[in-house]
Amino acid sequence: MMAARLSFSNITALAPMVRVGTLPMRLLALDYGADVVYCEELIDIKMAQCQRVVNEVLETVDFVAPDDRVMFRTCERERDRVVFQMGTADPERALTVAQLVEKDVAAIDVNMGCPKEYSTKGGMGAALLSDPDKIEAILKKLVTGVGIPVTCKIRILPSVEDTVSLVRRIEKTGVAAIAVHGRFKEERPRHPVHCDYIQAVSQAVSIPVIANGGSLDLVKKNGDIEEFRKATGASSVMLARAAMWNASVFNSQGPVPVERVMEEYLKYAIRYDNNAFNTKYCLCQMLRDKVESPLGKQVQAAQTNAEISNAYGLQEFYQQIQEQQQVRRDALQNGSQPDKPVMDGDVITMAVKFERREYPPQITPKMFLLEWSRKEKLEQPFYETVQRAQDRAFQSTVMVAEKKYRSSLWEKSKKFAEQAAAIVCLRVLGIPEGRIGEEDSGLVCKRKRERKVNGSAEEEIKIGKLWCHTPFCFV
């Protein structure tokens, strides 16, 4: 059954905010009563390079860049209420991105109001306001090219007449709604919002108008939202900074202490593996003038979501989520036919992970591979390990007899990544790897096993020094 088409009439929305409008904040806003949530502006050139990936561990859909960064992450909970906002100055590229994400979002929005250089220098954002022909071309291309609503968000022009003229032209493209930030592109949040301009736009078009820009003077609590709506004559209201400071501004039952709001936000950040630096940024915005408090300093010093969790006393929650996700990974791995090798360029890959509990304490696959190489009079295994920025996970490739082997799954540490690569090599070659219950192959003799136990890992340290040749190597 198809979901109902998203309506922009009589709604309150979380505005698109760079570095703020990621999945945890969007879900938090929905919890507190927002009807619609916008993601942060995402640039079309970067999004067009992404691949859509179903993340079965997090139960999300991720759009992943070539460098493995997750550019956009969404989930079923918000699918019918999330608006994907893009920065674009090219109709064809805009359509490419819109078609990439349209099955996972409720609507597409084009940013035509951002005055920041990173947006305007490419002809995007507020730069589009001086090129109505391009605005029209982009919106028409999107409206006719996707099956979900298309909207745009603008700033006001120097005169009411120019602003009304532009929005009437925009309306004719077939967009479902238009959001109006009631400031000129040269103005900043400290300047008062021009409600009269938004009111003129509301009266000039028949599509829903979403008023934006009232967080400084007009909207400080939930009851103020309706007053802002009346002052602008708009159909709906969009909130940015007021929601960033405390998302419970959407709560019709009244505000919630920001301390509780921060905890709820952090739980979503943990649950959905949010980038730790993004998590820190959002929490610091909520802390506001308390950012230099003991809690604020602890948050600023944190480098991981685990450390941020410690600052808020959520260590147990963090650990529970990690354990739940590991259970999912294990279940997925057990059902993924991990023993089938696949060529990835010149590398033989398999979907395997190193599970420490499957091997005796004194035995590792790396030890077996080294001993086999010595027995066959081959050069020592050579490991190259890389770390991806997205989640700091590791992946290792081992070269043995001029062939390369790698696990297609990423590991939590350099050590585990190298062990996984060794497992791939051993399994492809049909060599024992030392698992519990495996028949003794004689590769690692009893003397070495005992020495490993009694000598506090002396043998593995010695071997490790021989085979580790990269700065990422862990022994």
Side-chain angles (χ1 to χ4, degrees), residues 408-448:
S408 59
L409 305 178
W410 292 71
E411 293 279 6
K412 62 184 178 181
S413 73
K414 303 166 197 170
K415 176 181 177 181
F416 277 35
E418 290 170 356
Q419 299 289 4
I423 292 171
V424 173
C425 181
L426 291 165
R427 290 185 185 178
V428 169
L429 297 175
I431 302 166
E433 61 193 73
R435 290 160 65 102
I436 294 173
E438 222 177 53
E439 186 177 341
D440 186 4
S441 64
L443 274 178
V444 179
C445 67
K446 182 178 180 182
R447 178 182 60 80
K448 286 189 176 180

Side-chain angles (χ1 to χ4, degrees), residues 366 385-387 392-396 411-420 470-475:
K366 286 175 67 175
T385 305
V386 295
Q387 182 181 27
R392 299 187 178 184
F394 295 85
Q395 190 176 60
S396 184
E411 293 279 6
K412 62 184 178 181
S413 73
K414 303 166 197 170
K415 176 181 177 181
F416 277 35
E418 290 170 356
Q419 299 289 4
T470 79
F472 295 105
C473 190
F474 179 88
V475 178

Side-chain angles (χ1 to χ4, degrees), residues 364 367 415 419 452 457-464 475:
T364 67
M367 181 186 294
K415 176 181 177 181
Q419 299 289 4
K452 183 71 165 45
E458 176 185 342
E459 180 67 19
E460 178 143 300
I461 291 172
K462 179 181 177 182
I463 293 170
V475 178

Side-chain angles (χ1 to χ4, degrees), residues 358-372:
E358 295 180 1
Y359 299 85
Q362 69 275 23
I363 296 298
T364 67
K366 286 175 67 175
M367 181 186 294
F368 266 66
L369 183 57
L370 180 65
E371 291 300 317
W372 178 82

Side-chain angles (χ1 to χ4, degrees), residues 32-75:
Y32 282 119
D35 300 300
V36 174
V37 291
Y38 285 64
C39 75
E40 61 179 335
E41 178 193 16
L42 293 166
I43 307 302
D44 60 355
I45 295 176
K46 294 180 180 178
M47 281 299 302
Q49 300 174 39
C50 290
Q51 286 192 332
R52 180 184 185 273
V53 177
V54 176
N55 187 327
E56 293 180 301
V57 174
L58 298 181
E59 298 175 321
T60 60
V61 174
D62 299 345
F63 292 85
V64 184
D67 63 359
D68 289 322
R69 285 186 301 158
V70 176
M71 302 302 298
F72 176 58
R73 171 168 286 162
T74 185
C75 66

Side-chain angles (χ1 to χ4, degrees), residues 325-341:
Q325 291 176 356
Q326 188 58 52
V327 168
R328 289 198 200 106
R329 290 189 191 97
D330 293 343
L332 291 168
Q333 183 180 340
N334 291 337
S336 65
Q337 296 183 318
D339 293 325
K340 189 174 181 180

